[in-house]
Amino acid sequence: MSLWQRLSLFWRLFLPIALVVLCTGCLRTWLFLNEERITQNEAMQNTLAVAAATLQPIIAESVVIGDYARIQAQLDREVQLRTYLSRAEWRMGREQLIAKAAPATHTTPDWFIRLSGIVDCEQRRQVEPGGVDYGELILACDPTLPRAQTWQRALDRVAALAGVISVLFIILALTLRTSLVALTQLVDAYRHFLTDHRTRVRVGSQAR
């Protein structure tokens, strides 16, 4: 006799339903991570696009008047202003100006980093307003912060999901146990009947 056949009717009903609930929870968590991956990667791309649109006219104007200090100040400002922007660099010939954000200190498990799909993001753009070349603008986003945010949201979601599933399991167990009382009585009566043909049972009462 297999293990499954040795299980009681309660467990034969409870285990498949529990498995369906758990698979549904895992699927919902996977969909959540996929949504977060798309959202966070788009947010970093948008950060780079906005920073580039802000910096390009300022760089062009500053190069014309030779005000490189203004370019550096604007690079520093963009790095401080944009949450995800980790580096802003401008190059033109021998001129090179760089602004970097402080290294992120958020920690995320290595396995989650691979699972999240949130990757480094960099853009290189030629500064060419009016068709004139004013050098190259290099912008980069550090995925450490968005990964940490996604990790925290995932923990919160899993905790909430675990609570809901626990309540569902309790309700399911109580419902099945209550619903199977009459059937259990019939099964017990049948077993007694094999040895005592006078055995009778009434629904809601014990076999006799």
Side-chain angles (χ1 to χ4, degrees), residues 15-91:
L15 290 178
I17 297 174
L19 181 61
V20 170
V21 172
L22 288 174
C23 289
T24 302
C26 291
L27 177 61
R28 187 65 193 91
T29 301
W30 181 83
L31 292 174
F32 162 76
L33 290 176
N34 189 54
E35 292 169 0
E36 280 290 309
R37 175 184 60 81
I38 295 172
T39 299
Q40 295 287 13
N41 284 331
E42 286 182 350
M44 288 191 291
Q45 289 289 348
N46 290 336
T47 295
L48 297 181
V50 172
T54 302
L55 285 166
Q56 289 190 52
I58 295 175
I59 290 174
E61 181 182 335
S62 300
V63 170
V64 170
I65 62 177
D67 190 357
Y68 297 112
R70 184 188 178 197
I71 297 176
Q72 182 66 63
Q74 189 61 36
L75 293 175
D76 292 334
R77 183 175 182 276
E78 288 298 313
V79 167
Q80 294 171 4
L81 180 65
R82 314 292 173 191
T83 304
Y84 294 163
L85 191 63
S86 60
R87 181 169 60 89
E89 180 180 351
W90 171 74
R91 297 175 182 175

Side-chain angles (χ1 to χ4, degrees), residues 5-23:
Q5 292 175 326
R6 290 198 297 269
L7 292 176
S8 64
L9 182 58
F10 171 84
W11 288 109
R12 290 189 187 187
L13 292 173
F14 181 86
L15 290 178
I17 297 174
L19 181 61
V20 170
V21 172
L22 288 174
C23 289

Side-chain angles (χ1 to χ4, degrees), residues 9-205:
L9 182 58
F10 171 84
W11 288 109
R12 290 189 187 187
L13 292 173
F14 181 86
L15 290 178
I17 297 174
L19 181 61
V20 170
V21 172
L22 288 174
C23 289
T24 302
C26 291
L27 177 61
R28 187 65 193 91
T29 301
W30 181 83
L31 292 174
F32 162 76
L33 290 176
N34 189 54
E35 292 169 0
E36 280 290 309
R37 175 184 60 81
I38 295 172
T39 299
Q40 295 287 13
N41 284 331
E42 286 182 350
M44 288 191 291
Q45 289 289 348
N46 290 336
T47 295
L48 297 181
V50 172
T54 302
L55 285 166
Q56 289 190 52
I58 295 175
I59 290 174
E61 181 182 335
S62 300
V63 170
V64 170
I65 62 177
D67 190 357
Y68 297 112
R70 184 188 178 197
I71 297 176
Q72 182 66 63
Q74 189 61 36
L75 293 175
D76 292 334
R77 183 175 182 276
E78 288 298 313
V79 167
Q80 294 171 4
L81 180 65
R82 314 292 173 191
T83 304
Y84 294 163
L85 191 63
S86 60
R87 181 169 60 89
E89 180 180 351
W90 171 74
R91 297 175 182 175
M92 184 177 178
R94 295 183 178 181
E95 295 291 338
Q96 181 181 22
L97 300 176
I98 301 176
K100 293 183 179 180
T105 57
H106 305 281
T107 56
T108 306
D110 291 339
W111 63 266
F112 186 79
I113 291 176
R114 294 188 295 271
L115 181 65
S116 68
I118 302 173
V119 297
D120 297 69
C121 188
E122 181 179 286
Q123 280 189 10
R124 292 172 174 262
R125 297 191 180 189
Q126 291 299 128
V127 183
E128 298 177 324
V132 180
D133 186 7
Y134 293 99
E136 182 183 29
L137 181 62
I138 304 170
L139 302 171
C141 283
D142 183 358
T144 301
L145 177 58
R147 284 171 183 164
Q149 292 174 338
T150 300
W151 169 244
Q152 188 57 53
R153 292 192 191 107
L155 289 179
D156 295 340
R157 182 170 288 263
V158 169
L161 189 61
V164 171
I165 290 177
S166 298
V167 172
L168 286 176
F169 281 175
I170 292 173
I171 295 174
L172 175 63
L174 292 176
T175 302
L176 287 178
R177 192 169 295 279
T178 302
S179 302
L180 292 175
V181 167
L183 184 57
T184 301
Q185 291 175 352
L186 289 174
V187 173
D188 290 342
Y190 167 74
R191 290 173 178 170
H192 284 91
F193 184 78
L194 294 177
T195 56
D196 182 2
H197 295 319
R198 294 174 300 173
T199 300
R200 300 292 183 271
V201 66
R202 290 178 299 176
V203 175
S205 66

